[in-house]
Amino acid sequence: MSQRLVNLDDYEAAARSLLDEQAFEYVASGAGSETTLRANRTAFDDLELLPRMLHDVSRIDTTVELFGKIHSLPVLLAPTGYHRLMHPLGELETILGANMADCTLVAANFATETFVSVQAQAARPQWFQMYVQSDRTFTRDLLQEVLSAGCEAVCVTVDQPVNAIRDREARIGFELPKGMERANLKRLGSAVAGAAHSPQGFHIYNAVRASDLTWKDLEWLRGECPVPLMLKGILHPDDAVMAQQSGCDGIIVSNHGGRALDGVQSTIAALPAIVEAVGPGMTVLMDGGIRRGTDVVKALALGAKAVLLGRPYLFGLAVDGAAGVARVVNLLRMECQIAMGLLGCQDLSQIQPQLLHRKR
Ligand SMILES: Cc1cc2nc3c(=O)[nH]c(=O)nc-3n(C[C@H](O)[C@H](O)[C@H](O)COP(=O)(O)O)c2cc1C
């Protein structure tokens, strides 16, 4: 069947027919009225490509260097929680797909398998996404644990200090199935590791993320983290500059895939001002709405060094396990190569803003 799934959206349609409603809605939905979720996609359509002709594209090179490591494609797998909702082996299956596609997984703090167990199966070091906990000692110990296991870089997610409004999850009463928990938080006890993802009722705070995290904590985190440290969820250029001044090595321009504050700018629209604010010394990545090779090219043309892919690889995991994850990445790889060839670009350095025209 997977041969008939020819693009990333096909995987979403296939996953919808395979997954139960709880799992599908958890992944596909966004926050509030889903304005930002939609904008993440439509903003790409506002950017038109301006190809150049008669360039030698007989060899196309999609490799990129991030923090001194070579990646065969400027695409990483974004941190997403609870892979066991998609596949019985959860992240242990995802990592096999990442291995097959030669791709780095940014392992989520809210994974259903520990970072250590997933890293043991990984062909290349994973990155780790961190939610700082109210118990900072726990956070420090978890950081040490993932670093000892070989974590290559750490992304601290900063865009959800309080719960988001998730109407679709609330309507179906989404909760973690019995026996499924946030494996990396086990030591905080099952009340936290298995705590409701979006507590029903009038709950603003959540047991699994600190709400008192501020720029002051970053100094402490920087001191604890000898590997590249990034902030994930930056949308304002001033915050990007503060991240830079706080000693972060990179930022991920992200609105959590339209799952945090609804009504914020799409990430592809937010990207250029951030790139300009931090200048060339800072590694800027982005995610949100990447579904086509041309989307990757547009993000790179606007100054992202690489992008992260969220929902599509989860749908690949649901449809065909590791093979589905790998096929989703490889479809995107082929689309990137074709987009570059048709634009007249041999390598990623040739993807420049002049290849884009803003429609309105
Ligand atoms: C089901 C799901 C779970 C997610 N869980 C997390 C998470 O635990 N931590 C985090 O930083 N981002 C999380 N995200 C956001 C992704 O890392 C990423 O920012 C987003 O999915 C990118 O948008 P896209 O899905 O349109 O590609 C999640 C996204 C989805 C779809």
Side-chain angles (χ1 to χ4, degrees):
M1 149 163 120
S2 65
Q3 295 310 314
R4 273 185 276 144
L5 306 178
V6 301
N7 64 34
L8 273 49
D9 286 339
D10 285 352
Y11 272 88
E12 172 163 359
R16 181 194 284 267
S17 62
L18 288 170
L19 286 171
D20 65 41
E21 189 187 28
Q22 289 260 326
F24 181 79
E25 288 291 275
Y26 164 65
V27 176
S29 63
S33 306
E34 302 191 337
T35 314
T36 297
L37 177 67
R38 286 189 297 278
N40 274 353
R41 286 294 312 134
T42 55
F44 276 107
D45 298 336
D46 293 340
L47 295 168
E48 295 174 323
L49 294 161
L50 285 174
R52 300 304 304 267
M53 302 304 150
L54 297 175
H55 285 256
D56 177 2
V57 289
S58 55
R59 237 195 92 255
I60 291 170
D61 179 3
T62 60
T63 57
V64 65
E65 186 180 323
L66 297 174
F67 308 117
K69 299 284 166 16
I70 300 294
H71 297 248
S72 67
L73 191 67
V75 176
L76 293 92
L77 302 184
T80 55
Y82 321 141
H83 290 192
R84 278 177 59 197
L85 289 171
M86 303 292 112
H87 189 281
L89 297 178
E91 291 79 5
L92 294 176
E93 184 74 11
T94 311
I95 197 65
L96 300 182
N99 293 347
M100 286 159 72
D102 188 21
C103 193
T104 294
L105 171 67
V106 184
N109 203 150
F110 291 176
T112 40
E113 299 289 340
T114 62
F115 181 91
V116 176
S117 61
V118 182
Q119 183 55 47
Q121 307 298 323
R124 54 181 300 152
Q126 301 171 97
W127 294 9
F128 181 62
Q129 175 266 322
M130 166 95 88
Y131 281 123
V132 173
Q133 301 296 311
S134 308
D135 180 345
R136 302 288 201 273
T137 308
F138 172 85
T139 292
R140 192 195 57 209
D141 291 350
L142 179 60
L143 185 58
Q144 289 313 317
E145 186 177 300
V146 301
L147 290 169
S148 309
C151 165
E152 190 171 280
V154 173
C155 310
V156 180
T157 298
V158 292
D159 58 7
Q160 264 199 287
V162 297
N163 287 331
I165 292 173
R166 302 265 180 87
D167 291 355
R168 281 163 67 181
E169 284 181 18
R171 260 183 223 118
I172 56 169
F174 174 78
E175 52 186 40
L176 284 181
K178 273 206 167 45
M180 213 178 279
E181 57 181 12
R182 300 169 186 85
N184 290 307
L185 299 187
K186 231 172 188 158
R187 282 200 307 273
L188 285 172
S190 55
V192 173
H197 159 80
S198 307
Q200 306 296 306
F202 296 97
H203 293 282
I204 295 170
Y205 301 108
N206 197 307
V208 291
R209 286 184 297 259
S211 296
D212 61 352
L213 186 70
T214 69
W215 292 102
K216 280 193 195 140
D217 292 279
L218 268 193
E219 210 174 299
W220 159 72
L221 264 177
R222 179 68 285 183
E224 296 287 339
C225 186
V227 300
L229 178 68
M230 276 159 277
L231 295 190
K232 176 174 183 284
I234 297 293
L235 288 173
H236 199 294
D238 292 352
D239 280 346
V241 171
M242 284 177 80
Q244 194 170 31
Q245 289 167 349
S246 306
C248 291
D249 303 282
I251 48 175
I252 304 178
V253 178
S254 174
N255 52 33
H256 221 105
R259 297 163 73 84
L261 178 62
D262 191 34
V264 300
Q265 212 176 5
S266 71
T267 44
I268 194 70
L271 179 65
I274 290 179
V275 169
E276 194 185 335
V278 296
M282 184 88 164
T283 299
V284 179
L285 310 183
M286 72 80 77
D287 69 23
I290 299 282
R291 300 293 180 269
R292 286 286 190 181
T294 46
D295 300 333
V296 179
V297 166
K298 288 174 184 179
L300 267 54
L302 291 177
K305 197 88 198 276
V307 303
L308 291 83
L309 184 67
R311 293 175 181 85
Y313 83 84
L314 291 177
F315 294 135
L317 179 64
V319 170
D320 208 7
V325 172
R327 187 165 152 86
V328 161
V329 175
N330 285 329
L331 281 170
L332 201 57
R333 183 190 307 278
M334 178 195 68
E335 289 193 11
C336 279
Q337 290 165 339
I338 289 179
M340 287 172 67
L342 294 177
L343 281 163
C345 298
Q346 250 180 9
D347 61 41
L348 302 184
S349 72
Q350 295 175 352
I351 302 178
Q352 291 293 325
Q354 295 83 341
L355 293 174
L356 290 185
H357 170 258
R358 196 171 288 279
K359 237 199 252 178
R360 50 187 153 107

